[in-house]
Amino acid sequence: MYKESTNVVVKHLVNRLRDVRTASNEFRLTIEEISRMIASEALENFPTITTNINTWQGPLDVEMLEVQKIVLVPILRAGEPMLTGILKTLPYAKSGFLAMKRDEKTSLSKLFYENIPNLEDKTVLLLDPMVATGGSLIDAITYLKEKGAKKILSLNVLGSPYGVQKVQEAHPDVDIYIAQIDERLDENNYIRPGLGDAGDRAFNTSH
Ligand SMILES: O=P(O)(O)OC[C@H]1O[C@H](OP(=O)(O)OP(=O)(O)O)[C@H](O)[C@@H]1O
Ligand SMILES: O=c1cc[nH]c(=O)[nH]1
Ligand SMILES: [Mg+2]
């Protein structure tokens, strides 16, 4: 299944990303903010554990998210601000890394580096702002499954209808939480209206 956010603040922030005046620093901070809100939506039904803590009035049993069961995996580069944002909310989550690049001629993704912790009993939050053809996300999920992932939630900012459908067809067990699904994929496999190249926008390499 996929869930597109209906939150008006999320939509507002996505539109800040589209504006060409939004320079790299603000662009990354906005991705951080959107990611924290999408993570809240994705974790709404995540298991909690009763924990005894000391409060100002003494011991108290409270329900806490089972953060030790979460592994955050950004797809670099563009996924990096998503990791930074969510780690501010969940500083004790573990992180793994996939560095992938889409060949802009063939649109096929290539994996350059990986560092994935043990995924036994874990839920992976896979982080990539953009789902264009869906190829990078499909390959990343396939790789994580080979590494033992049983449960993967995909957190994304912008998708094309085509890409989101392709990911669902390839991996129907993966739930997608996305801020906005745009109109279409263009002839160069870019999302329209979209925001351009998220990695270039985030790291100031557009020109
Ligand atoms: O759905 P797809 O057609 O595979 O395209 C989406 C991919 O393209 C972008 O990364 P890119 O390859 O540009 O790498 P970057 O993060 O280094 O810019 C984006 O972050 C996705 O990973
Ligand atoms: O629109 C797109 C497509 C792929 N990658 C991006 O960053 N943006
Ligand atoms: Mg890029």
Side-chain angles (χ1 to χ4, degrees):
M1 78 83 190
Y2 74 90
K3 182 173 180 294
E4 181 181 356
S5 181
T6 55
N7 187 315
V8 68
V9 179
V10 169
K11 303 291 183 188
H12 170 90
L13 293 173
V14 168
N15 291 331
R16 292 286 313 142
L17 296 177
R18 298 186 200 279
D19 191 328
V20 292
R21 293 172 303 181
T22 301
S24 58
N25 192 46
E26 185 191 348
F27 188 91
R28 286 194 309 276
L29 292 173
T30 305
I31 295 249
E32 286 186 28
E33 199 66 33
I34 294 169
S35 305
R36 297 170 80 181
M37 297 176 83
I38 297 296
S40 295
E41 295 183 16
L43 294 172
E44 197 169 293
N45 297 312
F46 199 76
T48 58
I49 189 162
T50 307
T51 312
N52 190 266
I53 59 167
N54 286 318
T55 74
W56 68 296
Q57 291 193 324
L60 184 69
D61 281 341
V62 292
E63 294 299 310
M64 300 293 284
L65 282 174
E66 279 199 274
V67 176
Q68 69 277 15
K69 293 262 169 81
I70 296 174
V71 178
L72 305 172
V73 178
I75 301 178
L76 303 177
R77 260 178 325 171
E80 188 279 331
M82 297 187 75
L83 175 71
T84 300
I86 295 172
L87 277 177
K88 286 179 180 160
T89 308
L90 304 173
Y92 295 105
K94 293 183 194 302
S95 303
F97 294 87
L98 293 175
M100 301 177 84
K101 181 77 191 83
R102 184 177 88 153
D103 182 316
E104 293 302 340
K105 287 207 180 70
T106 63
S107 291
L108 297 174
S109 79
K110 190 172 167 201
L111 178 68
F112 287 92
Y113 172 80
E114 64 87 20
N115 193 329
I116 303 294
N118 189 339
L119 296 179
E120 206 182 323
D121 298 334
K122 301 288 194 281
T123 295
V124 174
L125 301 194
L126 181 56
L127 314 174
D128 191 330
M130 310 302 277
V131 188
T133 66
S136 303
L137 194 51
I138 290 170
D139 291 351
I141 295 168
T142 302
Y143 189 80
L144 290 170
K145 286 181 174 174
E146 283 166 14
K147 286 275 177 180
K150 296 279 183 297
K151 176 107 183 120
I152 301 172
L153 306 179
S154 178
L155 274 55
N156 310 102
V157 176
L158 270 190
S160 73
Y162 174 89
V164 171
Q165 189 184 332
K166 282 287 166 196
V167 177
Q168 285 187 287
E169 283 168 11
H171 297 290
D173 55 321
V174 173
D175 291 340
I176 300 170
Y177 294 86
I178 189 162
Q180 174 84 48
I181 297 177
D182 271 358
E183 279 165 38
R184 66 185 175 93
L185 199 60
D186 74 10
E187 48 291 352
N188 297 315
N189 286 334
Y190 270 73
I191 298 166
R192 293 287 183 100
L195 50 75
D197 186 298
D200 284 341
R201 295 285 308 278
F203 297 105
N204 206 17
T205 52
S206 301
H207 327 281

